Amino acid sequence: MQLSQTEENYIKAIYALSERSPSFDTSTNEIAVRINTKPPSVSDMLRKLTVKKLVTYQKYKRVTLTKTGRQVAIQIIRKHRLWEVFLHDKLQFTWDEVHEVAEQLEHIQSEKLTERLEKYLGYPKYDPHGDPIPSATGELKEAKRLMLSEMEMGVTCQVVGVKDSSSEFLQYLHQIDVGIGTKIKVLEQIAFDHSLIVSFKKGHQTTVSKKFADNVLVTS
Amino acid sequence: MQLSQTEENYIKAIYALSERSPSFDTSTNEIAVRINTKPPSVSDMLRKLTVKKLVTYQKYKRVTLTKTGRQVAIQIIRKHRLWEVFLHDKLQFTWDEVHEVAEQLEHIQSEKLTERLEKYLGYPKYDPHGDPIPSATGELKEAKRLMLSEMEMGVTCQVVGVKDSSSEFLQYLHQIDVGIGTKIKVLEQIAFDHSLIVSFKKGHQTTVSKKFADNVLVTS
DNA sequence: TACAAAAGTTAGATAAGCCTAACTTGATTT
DNA sequence: AAATCAAGTTAGGCTTATCTAACTTTTGTA
Ligand SMILES: [Mn+2]
Ligand SMILES: [Mn+2]
Ligand SMILES: [Mn+2]
Ligand SMILES: [Mn+2]
């Protein structure tokens, strides 16, 4: 099925939002906020996507992706993350620069390109944000990741991704020299505001907020 | 200036058509044929591009790119050809596969991407079809493609394309094992009928007609 | 020079995406 | 159960890009 860039962006947004909901659905307003449009535009598009059997939707109710819709979403995410790896590994883009360009590259239509790119990159399993890359057949492994705020005291862990990928957050991380692979040990939790005292690398010690720790994903 | 993909494709078409005209201009109908639209669509677009100062145009007359228009065209061509090199050199796409995908990739907007890609590819001067790659500042060399019949004696060259793409010709090429990338050395020209004695690869030697040599494009 | 054919433009529609303003529905609270 | 408010849809309009049919200008040839 030949989808426009706009349709692809909607599908991807619905996927992301519904995956994080316990009932695997989402709402008109949530979609509007995420893709920076107004609710009426979303209503229009949901009608279109329903006709194309990509979403299950009745007006005034919440939306779910159909099986086809989910497959479409996963293929776009696959391309997005492969391009992110390319930009990061081959063209030395920094962590916070890759997303914006991948947002465009994910819409290039050529299966051959995707497969060749994947091979060229050495079949990477994770993108530069630590998110798993779906296989050509749509298999997507769950990354066993924790929020930094969930780590036990005294245990050293490694940064594998972020929850928030706003450029504000990514730039802050860059500023304090935290990236994929950075080793962090949680030393103490402050009862008052749940902020954490942590050490990076060789003893260099800082305090980070709960909000920060909730948005840094780590593996132990 | 932020241009749509459609506008970019028009600009590129106008560039290609006007470059091959002695007066550096082109016509509504020529553009329509090239980008597979109807003349009224072209008329509309020419009005739009005139307002944006990308073309010089008066209705019922022929159209020329402005200096800005030409710069825009060259930047798109630069991206197109760099992506062709990437697809060919890094992802092993064949010469006839690269164009279609590059047609999409040329519209990705990120100067940094273009510059990094160029560096990554080792600042190539020519694309896989032997066409020159403009520099970041818009400098553009002459094409280095010649007809095989124009080659000097004793010089080894490489096949980069064909002028005639009839299946008779392509089958003949296949039969004598000539394809893109084949190395050819011109040994002798027969005065009588301008046929050429050439050697392929390791000394394997043949005679080809003038008509053949006029339709094989090579770079030295 | 006249006048027919070709080249090009305008008029009027359509489709995709987006918007604001006005309305409807469903959920929450009393 | 009714009232209120948030969530969502519809109505109607705008822009970009396209088309066909009808018209106008330019051209090239008799
Ligand atoms: Mn996108
Ligand atoms: Mn990512
Ligand atoms: Mn293009
Ligand atoms: Mn080319």
Side-chain angles (χ1 to χ4, degrees):
Chain A
M1 200 184 328
Q2 185 77 316
L3 298 177
S4 70
Q5 280 200 203
T6 307
E7 288 169 323
E8 288 193 347
N9 284 333
Y10 273 95
I11 291 289
K12 203 163 66 112
I14 295 166
Y15 179 85
L17 293 167
S18 59
E19 283 300 297
R20 73 171 60 156
S21 132
S23 41
F24 290 91
D25 58 14
T26 185
S27 72
T28 302
N29 280 6
E30 278 168 10
I31 299 167
V33 168
R34 178 168 249 257
I35 65 183
N36 228 323
T37 55
K38 304 295 167 181
S41 307
V42 177
S43 279
D44 283 355
M45 184 57 86
L46 289 181
R47 229 185 316 101
K48 259 182 73 182
L49 295 177
T50 305
V51 171
K52 295 196 176 186
K53 306 234 157 119
L54 294 166
V55 301
T56 304
Y57 166 69
Q58 285 170 282
K59 61 184 189 175
Y60 293 108
K61 302 278 173 62
R62 292 172 69 84
V63 201
T64 325
L65 286 179
T66 61
K67 200 173 173 188
T68 312
R70 214 169 309 118
Q71 282 165 357
V72 168
I74 288 172
Q75 285 314 304
I76 304 164
I77 289 166
R78 171 171 155 79
K79 290 192 278 178
H80 183 100
R81 294 182 182 163
L82 284 170
W83 281 115
E84 284 190 345
V85 173
F86 171 72
L87 295 169
H88 184 264
D89 290 9
K90 303 293 185 181
L91 303 192
Q92 276 73 56
F93 274 63
T94 59
W95 199 25
D96 53 311
E97 294 170 328
V98 297
H99 187 78
E100 185 192 342
V101 182
E103 204 54 49
Q104 298 177 60
L105 286 163
E106 72 190 358
H107 304 291
I108 302 291
Q109 294 189 322
S110 165
E111 277 214 12
K112 183 171 240 163
L113 174 58
T114 310
E115 312 253 306
R116 292 285 175 91
L117 182 65
E118 183 182 31
K119 183 180 183 184
Y120 182 62
L121 298 172
Y123 298 96
K125 298 234 171 356
Y126 297 95
D127 82 3
H129 307 105
D131 291 312
I133 296 172
S135 73
T137 54
E139 261 98 8
L140 181 47
K141 58 178 65 161
E142 247 336 288
K144 34 175 179 44
R145 296 181 302 185
L146 293 171
M147 294 181 284
L148 178 59
S149 54
E150 297 170 311
M151 283 301 295
E152 280 174 55
M153 299 304 108
V155 179
T156 297
C157 60
Q158 201 175 6
V159 176
V160 293
V162 291
K163 251 163 114 180
D164 179 349
S165 51
S166 68
S167 63
E168 286 95 337
F169 187 54
L170 296 175
Q171 271 163 27
Y172 176 40
L173 287 164
H174 188 72
Q175 187 184 314
I176 61 174
D177 203 28
V178 170
I180 293 289
T182 301
K183 292 204 169 63
I184 303 184
K185 181 151 90 178
V186 180
L187 302 174
E188 196 186 334
Q189 189 184 73
I190 308 296
F192 169 60
D193 61 359
H194 305 285
S195 58
L196 299 177
I197 301 176
V198 300
S199 73
F200 298 143
K201 299 159 192 172
K202 311 167 210 329
H204 173 233
Q205 193 168 316
T206 332
T207 304
V208 298
S209 70
K210 170 102 167 55
K211 185 171 179 189
F212 178 96
D214 279 347
N215 282 291
V216 173
L217 297 168
V218 297
T219 55
S220 42
Chain B
M1 201 186 327
Q2 186 79 315
L3 298 177
S4 71
Q5 280 201 203
T6 307
E7 289 170 322
E8 289 193 346
N9 285 334
Y10 272 96
I11 291 289
K12 201 163 67 113
I14 296 166
Y15 179 85
L17 292 166
S18 59
E19 283 299 297
R20 74 171 57 158
S21 131
S23 41
F24 291 92
D25 58 14
T26 186
S27 71
T28 302
N29 280 5
E30 278 169 10
I31 299 166
V33 167
R34 179 168 248 258
I35 64 182
N36 229 324
T37 55
K38 304 294 168 186
S41 308
V42 177
S43 279
D44 282 356
M45 184 56 87
L46 289 180
R47 228 186 317 99
K48 260 182 74 183
L49 296 176
T50 305
V51 172
K52 295 195 175 183
K53 305 236 157 116
L54 294 166
V55 302
T56 304
Y57 167 68
Q58 286 170 280
K59 64 183 189 177
Y60 293 108
K61 300 279 172 63
R62 291 172 70 83
V63 68
T64 325
L65 287 178
T66 61
K67 199 172 174 188
T68 312
R70 214 169 309 118
Q71 283 166 355
V72 168
I74 289 172
Q75 286 313 304
I76 304 164
I77 289 166
R78 171 171 153 79
K79 290 192 276 178
H80 183 101
R81 292 182 182 164
L82 284 170
W83 281 115
E84 284 190 344
V85 172
F86 171 72
L87 294 169
H88 183 264
D89 290 10
K90 303 292 185 183
L91 303 192
Q92 275 73 54
F93 275 62
T94 59
W95 75 289
D96 55 311
E97 294 170 329
V98 296
H99 187 78
E100 186 191 342
V101 182
E103 204 56 47
Q104 298 177 61
L105 286 163
E106 71 189 0
H107 303 290
I108 302 292
Q109 294 190 322
S110 166
E111 277 214 11
K112 183 173 240 163
L113 173 59
T114 310
E115 313 253 305
R116 293 282 175 93
L117 181 64
E118 182 182 32
K119 183 179 182 184
Y120 182 62
L121 298 172
Y123 298 97
K125 297 234 171 356
Y126 297 95
D127 81 4
H129 307 104
D131 292 312
I133 296 172
S135 72
T137 54
E139 262 98 7
L140 182 48
K141 288 206 176 61
E142 259 316 291
K144 117 179 145 160
R145 270 186 323 184
L146 293 172
M147 294 181 284
L148 178 58
S149 54
E150 297 171 309
M151 283 302 295
E152 279 174 57
M153 298 304 106
V155 179
T156 297
C157 60
Q158 201 174 6
V159 176
V160 294
V162 290
K163 253 163 114 178
D164 179 350
S165 51
S166 68
S167 62
E168 286 94 337
F169 187 53
L170 296 176
Q171 269 163 32
Y172 177 39
L173 287 165
H174 189 252
Q175 186 183 315
I176 60 175
D177 203 26
V178 170
I180 293 295
T182 301
K183 291 205 168 64
I184 303 183
K185 180 151 91 178
V186 180
L187 302 174
E188 197 186 331
Q189 190 184 70
I190 309 296
F192 170 60
D193 61 359
H194 304 285
S195 60
L196 299 177
I197 301 177
V198 301
S199 74
F200 299 143
K201 298 160 191 172
K202 310 169 211 329
H204 172 233
Q205 191 168 318
T206 332
T207 303
V208 298
S209 70
K210 169 102 168 59
K211 185 172 179 188
F212 178 96
D214 280 347
N215 282 291
V216 173
L217 297 170
V218 298
T219 59
S220 42

